[in-house]
Amino acid sequence: MSESALTTAAPAIDPTFENVWDELLWRGLVHVSTDQEALRALLAGDPITYYCGFDPTAPSLHLGNLVQLLTMRRLQLAGHKPLGLVGGSTGLIGDPRPTAERTLNTRETVAEWVDRLRAQVERYLSFDGDNAARMVNNLDWTAPMSAIDFLREIGKHYRVGTMLKKDAVAARLNSDEGISYTEFSYQILQGMDYLELYRQYGCVLQTGGSDQWGNLTSGTDLIRRAEGVAAHAIGTPLITNSDGTKFGKSEGNAIWLDAEMCSPYRMYQFWLSTTDSDVIDRLKVFTFLSRAEIDEYAALVEAEPFRRAAQKRLALEVTATVHGRDATAAVIAASDALFGQGDLTALDAATLRSALDELPNTTVAAGTPVVEALVATGLVSSLGEARRAIGQGGVSLDGERVDDESATVQGGLPGGVSVLRRGKKTLAGVFIA
């Protein structure tokens, strides 16, 4: 278990809430659910076992998955018992997308991604104590089952008419692409997961995104038909920005939880750029700050929005949750230094390089004239403009003003890089070949 997620979490649910269900409602984490009164009573009683599943359709989880991970953590902090499922079998098929059939990954790729996702999920749960978490893989009970057994024992409980009404299936049926029997059957596999976890561990609650509601209710319906028991599901809202745009996507680049796919610096800057209209909702969903603390930040957004206090706290908390306090401290130091509030030469080399990757940048040989580097990075459009900018005192290299047009770039910062600045806020990175 890493120090990242657990050391940033509160020791219990916010004491201003009577039970964790009330907290989930206040944080805006319940978009759709089975019977709310039954759920409230269930979560207020003796510890229950609940689960959330993650399919290995990529080598890393992303911010949408983080909503589920933190919801699982909140329920565990309230005393309930989590099961983290990584879908070794469902990942071989893939949940139907609204538009087109998924490309099937190889078994070797899926197995590798199962291991990677399992390690990520484990960071957000505690495996100690009376309500210790447990990790499961649905390949363990799916692989040994024959097609005949699957049809007789599971398939007989499903009605095709009901399956056709599921949103993802209906969308695909109305598209030019259509839907294969393989993806059409996905909801049965997920329903079987819930039934298996009910039988093995007494699991009575599943959480997931609201876009998964058809798959979530596949499980509750199957348990009702097969066992005569009422199981429950919670669908969290899909997080969108206040302008309606999809959250966590920028020019097709997801904000991944893996540091190699999305650097801590990039993640920190992503949260730092949150708009005033979105930041309080983000604090509720993505941090463990108390209701009183979040209310204080809401007041600051109203009274002193220019300080961006809420955005800074949001960026600190989430980046520390995902990447740990040490990495986040290095990122903040780099951010401050790049914008003139710290010592560039004292920065961690790896953090500085990852920060420069997020800026306009270029790679040049040591000794390249600054005027040429200015053009190569796009800070100016021509050598003449570069010389004028230097003559006007508007260019700095590695934090020092450039006064000589013949100055060269040597990569004098940690990691053999340099930082060019034009004016107060326009920056670029220079990597030395």
Side-chain angles (χ1 to χ4, degrees):
M1 185 187 308
S2 82
E3 62 90 26
S4 59
L6 299 187
T7 56
T8 60
I13 65 169
D14 190 323
T16 61
F17 297 100
E18 191 169 331
N19 77 29
V20 69
W21 175 253
D22 297 325
E23 182 172 0
L24 294 179
L25 290 175
W26 176 78
R27 291 185 182 273
L29 287 169
V30 182
H31 178 77
V32 63
S33 73
T34 50
D35 186 273
Q36 291 207 6
E37 287 305 312
L39 269 170
R40 191 176 193 283
L42 186 70
L43 293 174
D46 294 336
I48 65 162
T49 298
Y50 64 96
Y51 96 98
C52 184
F54 303 90
D55 272 349
T57 54
S60 172
L61 299 174
H62 52 74
L63 287 190
N65 303 126
L66 185 59
V67 176
Q68 303 309 319
L69 293 169
L70 298 182
T71 300
M72 292 183 76
R73 181 64 182 149
R74 295 185 203 283
L75 290 168
Q76 187 177 30
L77 288 169
H80 301 295
K81 303 175 183 179
L83 295 169
L85 184 150
V86 180
S89 64
T90 44
L92 290 167
I93 292 174
D95 186 20
R97 294 183 299 182
T99 54
E101 196 86 1
R102 290 182 183 271
T103 300
L104 297 181
N105 294 304
T106 66
R107 291 179 181 273
E108 292 75 19
T109 295
V110 172
E112 177 189 344
W113 290 353
V114 164
D115 291 339
R116 291 174 65 115
L117 266 58
R118 177 180 178 131
Q120 288 186 329
V121 173
E122 287 176 344
R123 296 170 56 199
Y124 295 85
L125 302 172
S126 171
F127 291 81
D128 301 316
D130 293 337
N131 64 331
R134 183 190 297 265
M135 295 299 298
V136 294
N137 183 343
N138 55 21
L139 191 61
D140 292 341
W141 55 82
T142 306
M145 180 175 282
S146 71
I148 293 298
D149 288 341
F150 175 71
L151 292 172
R152 284 178 57 85
E153 297 175 17
I154 304 298
K156 69 177 180 179
H157 293 295
Y158 282 84
R159 299 297 176 264
V160 172
T162 302
M163 295 175 67
L164 291 172
K165 294 177 183 177
K166 304 294 185 183
D167 288 345
V169 172
R172 285 282 292 281
L173 286 173
N174 292 324
S175 71
D176 293 337
E177 181 76 13
I179 186 169
S180 69
Y181 179 75
T182 298
E183 289 197 2
F184 179 65
S185 302
Y186 180 93
Q187 59 183 288
I188 302 181
L189 291 176
Q190 187 163 333
M192 185 172 71
D193 288 344
Y194 199 171
L195 177 62
E196 183 68 21
L197 296 178
Y198 170 78
R199 288 173 171 171
Q200 282 196 44
Y201 306 107
C203 180
V204 291
L205 173 64
Q206 180 183 184
T207 68
S210 58
D211 59 336
Q212 293 287 307
W213 187 243
N215 293 327
L216 300 180
T217 56
S218 173
T220 59
D221 291 346
L222 179 58
I223 292 173
R224 176 178 54 81
R225 289 176 180 273
E227 302 290 331
V229 172
H232 294 277
I234 296 174
T236 60
L238 299 184
I239 308 298
T240 59
N241 297 320
S242 56
D243 61 4
T245 58
K246 192 169 184 178
F247 169 75
K249 299 273 185 167
S250 175
E251 298 178 357
N253 297 319
I255 304 298
W256 302 100
L257 304 189
D258 188 314
E260 294 181 0
M261 297 175 66
C262 175
S263 71
Y265 182 87
R266 182 181 172 212
M267 176 167 282
Y268 182 84
Q269 294 298 324
F270 171 82
W271 293 107
L272 201 60
S273 66
T274 304
T275 64
D276 290 345
S277 56
D278 289 324
V279 68
I280 299 305
D281 286 341
R282 300 290 182 265
L283 284 170
K284 290 180 178 179
V285 171
F286 290 100
T287 78
F288 288 88
L289 298 184
S290 69
R291 184 175 190 169
E293 289 175 297
I294 292 175
D295 286 345
E296 288 178 9
Y297 280 110
L300 288 173
V301 170
E302 289 292 326
E304 300 176 323
F306 58 91
R307 297 190 185 278
R308 299 186 68 76
Q311 283 87 347
K312 292 176 182 177
R313 186 62 185 276
L314 175 66
L316 166 65
E317 293 293 328
V318 184
T319 308
T321 293
V322 176
H323 296 297
R325 292 285 180 184
D326 291 345
T328 304
V331 162
I332 293 173
S335 183
D336 290 345
L338 284 172
F339 290 94
Q341 299 175 20
D343 183 2
L344 285 168
T345 63
L347 296 179
D348 170 74
T351 302
L352 178 57
R353 290 185 71 89
S354 68
L356 297 187
D357 276 333
E358 303 301 323
L359 299 174
N361 60 72
T362 190
T363 300
V364 300
T368 296
V370 169
V371 289
E372 293 183 14
L374 284 166
V375 176
T377 58
L379 292 183
V380 299
S381 57
S382 67
L383 293 175
E385 185 181 355
R387 295 188 183 98
R388 287 192 296 274
I390 291 173
Q392 294 166 358
V395 174
S396 69
L397 174 67
D398 299 342
E400 301 292 335
R401 191 171 74 179
V402 178
D403 296 316
D404 185 354
E405 292 182 9
S406 64
T408 59
V409 178
Q410 299 296 335
L413 296 178
V417 300
S418 282
V419 175
L420 277 174
R421 182 194 308 271
R422 184 184 181 191
K424 292 184 178 180
K425 295 184 178 181
T426 308
L427 300 173
V430 181
F431 297 97
I432 303 302

